[in-house]
Amino acid sequence: MEKKIAPSLMAAALLTLPMVVNAQTENPRGIYKMITLTGKQGEIKAPFDQYKICTDSVTLMLSTQKAAFQITDTDHKVFEYTGDQPKDENDKSTLIYDSNADHFTMKWWSTNRGHLYFPDNDWCIEKYEANQYSETAQLAFEALNAVPTFDKNNPLLGTWRILGDVDELRDVKKFLPKMHENYETSKYFNSFYVFTPKSFALVLLGRGGVANPVEYDGKKSYKLNNKIINNVRWLTKDRIAVEEKIDYRIDWKILERVTDGESMMCRFARQYVNKF
């Protein structure tokens, strides 16, 4: 089921998009969903729930499967209008055409062998439209575009960096300096919990999962998809411990509030911009 998305989700803080007229020769700028793919089986409905996030600085791709999502810099280039014809028969550069704020077409040379949809050594054509989202993608973009803020009525809302785990809460003070010191080399580097009013996302190095609905019991706990209640202990205003039941024991995941005002989308884009 496709859903229209709120206009605010169309622009993460990074996406300072120019005003676009209705011509078909504009650079695509915004978030677009793949609608059809033309390849081995002719033109078919898009076999993947896939999105292109087109900005002046970077093009990112977000794909979803069930409740999971992944965001990558698959294209390694900023999408700009090229027209629909290669320069010559040896030119296999990706083509972007029939493009404006509402839609665009992408034509790329496929060297895939034995792929179910992509042709072997031939052009593959993907058509994209703006303002079309699956339920999972809508939740993912809401979480990725959320700007961390403090809400005194529900202080769990916002983005939280995962620092590490402890067996006993009484050991937190002892282990906290080491968690900060080793953070950039730990398995939790660039791993976050994102709480929004209606959903929750776990984001691990460009991969994540979203849950909806999420219920909050004030500061005490939260419950995902009407299942397990996750108890919360507040260590400070900006640091919490989330209870994790593993077999017959209880561990605690230590989270620290992100206060830099940067959305996850901006965070990912900034990582990829310098790769061009």
Side-chain angles (χ1 to χ4, degrees):
M1 178 176 63
E2 303 300 330
K3 291 194 173 185
K4 294 290 182 182
I5 198 165
S8 60
L9 298 184
M10 284 299 297
L14 177 82
L15 308 182
T16 308
L17 304 178
M19 183 173 289
V20 225
V21 295
N22 214 26
Q24 312 297 306
T25 58
E26 298 292 326
N27 299 330
R29 292 296 180 265
I31 302 173
Y32 302 81
K33 184 183 193 300
M34 183 166 68
I35 303 301
T36 65
L37 181 149
T38 303
K40 260 184 186 175
Q41 302 176 17
E43 186 176 51
I44 60 173
K45 182 179 178 181
F48 321 113
D49 189 29
Q50 179 172 295
Y51 304 80
K52 298 292 186 180
I53 305 157
C54 303
T55 82
D56 286 329
S57 305
V58 67
T59 302
L60 299 178
M61 186 176 83
L62 183 139
S63 55
T64 79
Q65 188 172 16
K66 295 183 178 179
F69 67 86
Q70 181 177 9
I71 187 167
T72 60
D73 65 336
T74 303
D75 298 288
H76 307 298
K77 62 181 293 184
V78 173
F79 278 3
E80 296 179 344
Y81 176 82
T82 62
D84 62 353
Q85 295 299 320
K87 296 175 184 176
D88 53 53
E89 62 180 13
N90 296 316
D91 180 17
K92 301 300 188 289
S93 303
T94 297
L95 302 173
I96 303 295
Y97 57 94
D98 187 23
S99 58
N100 59 20
D102 300 321
H103 54 76
F104 75 90
T105 299
M106 171 180 167
K107 186 175 179 180
W108 59 280
W109 184 261
S110 171
T111 57
N112 288 274
R113 291 185 177 275
H115 196 279
L116 180 60
Y117 302 108
F118 302 151
D120 300 333
N121 292 312
D122 202 351
W123 292 101
C124 187
I125 300 173
E126 299 173 2
K127 292 185 178 180
Y128 288 81
E129 290 184 7
N131 300 317
Q132 301 290 330
Y133 297 82
S134 67
E135 184 175 354
T136 297
Q138 182 173 6
L139 292 173
F141 278 115
E142 284 176 349
L144 291 169
N145 285 341
V147 177
T149 56
F150 178 74
D151 185 338
K152 65 180 180 180
N153 295 319
N154 190 350
L156 276 173
L157 298 184
T159 303
W160 298 81
R161 179 180 290 111
I162 305 174
L163 291 181
D165 305 285
V166 295
D167 296 331
E168 301 287 344
L169 276 183
R170 64 173 178 264
D171 297 330
V172 170
K173 285 187 178 180
K174 180 173 69 174
F175 288 114
L176 205 55
K178 275 290 183 186
M179 287 182 183
H180 282 114
E181 181 183 343
N182 298 328
Y183 174 67
E184 291 191 3
T185 56
S186 77
K187 66 179 181 179
Y188 289 125
F189 180 59
N190 275 341
S191 300
F192 302 86
Y193 280 12
V194 181
F195 293 99
T196 76
K198 297 181 180 179
S199 63
F200 163 85
L202 173 62
V203 185
L204 307 170
L205 295 171
R207 297 175 181 267
V210 288
N212 181 41
V214 58
E215 298 177 21
Y216 301 101
D217 181 18
K219 297 172 62 173
K220 297 178 183 178
S221 66
Y222 62 92
K223 182 164 60 172
L224 304 178
N225 291 335
N226 299 314
K227 293 183 180 178
I228 298 173
I229 293 176
N230 300 272
N231 293 316
V232 174
R233 297 284 181 87
W234 289 78
L235 308 176
T236 68
K237 182 174 73 73
D238 294 323
R239 191 176 295 131
I240 59 178
V242 176
E243 182 183 76
E244 292 193 320
K245 295 179 181 178
I246 304 173
D247 297 327
Y248 297 101
R249 73 177 194 273
I250 293 177
D251 287 349
W252 298 88
K253 193 169 295 297
I254 308 304
L255 310 181
E256 200 166 67
R257 189 190 303 276
V258 176
T259 58
D260 59 10
E262 186 175 51
S263 70
M264 292 303 303
M265 186 72 78
C266 293
R267 204 177 300 277
F268 287 133
R270 181 166 44 78
Q271 292 172 12
Y272 294 130
V273 162
N274 295 329
K275 292 184 179 181
F276 293 121

